[in-house]
Amino acid sequence: MFHEDDKETVAACLSESLLTPGQTRNWEFRKLRKDGRVIWVRETVRVTQAPTGETVVLVTCEDITERKRTEEALRASEQELRHAFDERERISQDLHDGVLQSLYAVGLQLDAAGRLLATSPRQAKRELRSAISHLNRTIEDVRGFITHLKLDPLQGLNFKQAIQTLVQAFQKFHGKQCRVSVSPAAVSRMTRQQSLHLLSIVREAVSNSVRHGRASEIRVALRHQRKAVRLEVRDNGIGFDPESPPRRGFGLGNMTARWTKIGGRLNILSQRKVGTRVVLELPQEVS
């Protein structure tokens, strides 16, 4: 009469020592009805003492099948809701890190082309062609979202090549001096998922250095130091006062969410008229 998966639980309950008067114990397990249907029951055992001095064991058995079904439905709903929130967060991060940044770059190229039309038409045409190409790639990215395809920023490149490509794009579009130093030992200690998140963090940090920090020089370094992989993005921009940091934007929220997912430690250091450093450490045990 007991469900195969619950026989050990029932045996353990039956093997327990007899309760003393006044004690109560509850067990929940599954039973098989004569018609083959599986039901959940809650069995309550209470030990009391009769007026005659005899020990009396009172056992009640309650059918809790509907309650169990409701609990299971609630757990399933919670899992679906959690999955929906996680997917929403991922899509919003990828939209910000990928599509919006690409559109921002296209806008800068169009602006540059407009300023060059009068003085250098040929260079203006080159900027226009580059902007069109960039816009077409962004359209493909959007199509990927529509068809539920997850964007892959690495796109067949290794981590070092992907960072160099990213930084070169910023250097070309913004005219800033960008330097990259990537240690192969550090790359070898990262998983692909960690590489994807780190690439997005670099993109966000470099973008902030250009747009908000007004930096003319940016340095990106990835090193393996002691028991951690260390990423540092440093600029010589206007910086900010750590005692009164700037308003928390969506970009900083994305960086925070990403380093939390990969188990890293993020530290943002800044000083007015000196610059800003974004430092992320991945413990080697996690890497």
Side-chain angles (χ1 to χ4, degrees), residues 87-155:
E87 187 66 10
R88 179 173 178 264
E89 180 185 1
R90 182 190 68 78
I91 291 175
S92 63
Q93 286 178 348
D94 288 343
L95 278 171
H96 178 268
D97 295 342
V99 176
L100 295 184
Q101 294 287 357
S102 296
L103 291 176
Y104 175 73
V106 171
L108 289 175
Q109 286 181 295
L110 293 176
D111 180 66
R115 288 186 278 104
L116 291 169
L117 278 175
T119 58
S120 182
R122 288 185 179 180
Q123 189 175 351
K125 288 182 179 181
R126 286 195 295 269
E127 290 292 338
L128 284 174
R129 284 195 296 266
S130 178
I132 292 172
S133 176
H134 205 151
L135 185 58
N136 286 334
R137 289 197 300 271
T138 304
I139 292 173
E140 291 302 317
D141 289 344
V142 174
R143 285 176 178 168
F145 279 114
I146 294 174
T147 56
H148 304 286
L149 296 176
K150 187 173 181 180
L151 297 179
D152 184 358
L154 293 178
Q155 296 178 344

Side-chain angles (χ1 to χ4, degrees), residues 235 237-243 246 267-278:
D235 68 52
I238 61 175
F240 60 88
D241 185 357
E243 298 299 325
N267 194 14
I268 300 179
L269 309 171
S270 188
Q271 185 176 349
R272 289 193 180 277
K273 298 181 180 181
V274 175
T276 301
R277 291 171 57 206
V278 176

Side-chain angles (χ1 to χ4, degrees), residues 135-246:
L135 185 58
N136 286 334
R137 289 197 300 271
T138 304
I139 292 173
E140 291 302 317
D141 289 344
V142 174
R143 285 176 178 168
F145 279 114
I146 294 174
T147 56
H148 304 286
L149 296 176
K150 187 173 181 180
L151 297 179
D152 184 358
L154 293 178
Q155 296 178 344
L157 304 174
N158 61 42
F159 185 74
K160 183 176 182 179
Q161 292 172 330
I163 282 191
Q164 288 175 334
T165 300
L166 170 68
V167 171
Q168 287 170 1
F170 271 95
Q171 186 167 313
K172 176 182 177 181
F173 298 151
H174 305 284
K176 309 298 182 182
Q177 184 178 5
C178 302
R179 298 180 181 179
V180 178
S181 177
V182 176
S183 165
V187 175
S188 66
R189 286 170 170 79
M190 296 190 306
T191 66
R192 179 175 177 81
Q193 192 66 20
Q194 289 171 340
S195 297
L196 291 171
H197 283 297
L198 252 66
L199 187 60
S200 294
I201 290 173
V202 171
R203 181 191 292 112
E204 188 65 51
V206 172
S207 176
N208 287 340
S209 295
V210 172
R211 290 188 292 170
H212 306 303
R214 305 175 195 171
S216 61
E217 182 178 340
I218 304 169
R219 297 187 180 186
V220 179
L222 184 71
R223 293 281 183 270
H224 179 246
Q225 297 181 345
R226 297 181 181 178
K227 296 183 178 181
V229 172
R230 179 186 176 95
L231 170 71
E232 181 174 343
V233 181
R234 178 197 296 261
D235 68 52
N236 64 347
I238 61 175
F240 60 88
D241 185 357
E243 298 299 325
S244 55

Side-chain angles (χ1 to χ4, degrees), residues 8-67:
E8 291 185 5
T9 301
V10 175
C13 295
L14 295 176
S15 66
E16 293 183 2
S17 59
L18 189 65
L19 301 176
T20 58
Q23 286 188 314
T24 302
R25 234 170 238 181
N26 300 292
W27 298 293
E28 294 182 1
F29 48 85
R30 286 165 291 182
K31 280 188 174 183
L32 296 175
R33 292 172 54 97
K34 290 183 179 180
D35 59 6
R37 189 163 61 92
V38 178
I39 63 170
W40 275 93
V41 297
R42 175 185 174 88
E43 190 171 273
T44 302
V45 180
R46 183 172 181 270
V47 180
T48 186
Q49 195 169 32
T52 58
E54 296 177 328
T55 298
V56 179
V57 180
L58 302 176
V59 181
T60 59
C61 192
E62 176 188 5
D63 187 336
I64 59 171
T65 305
E66 289 303 319
R67 194 199 78 188

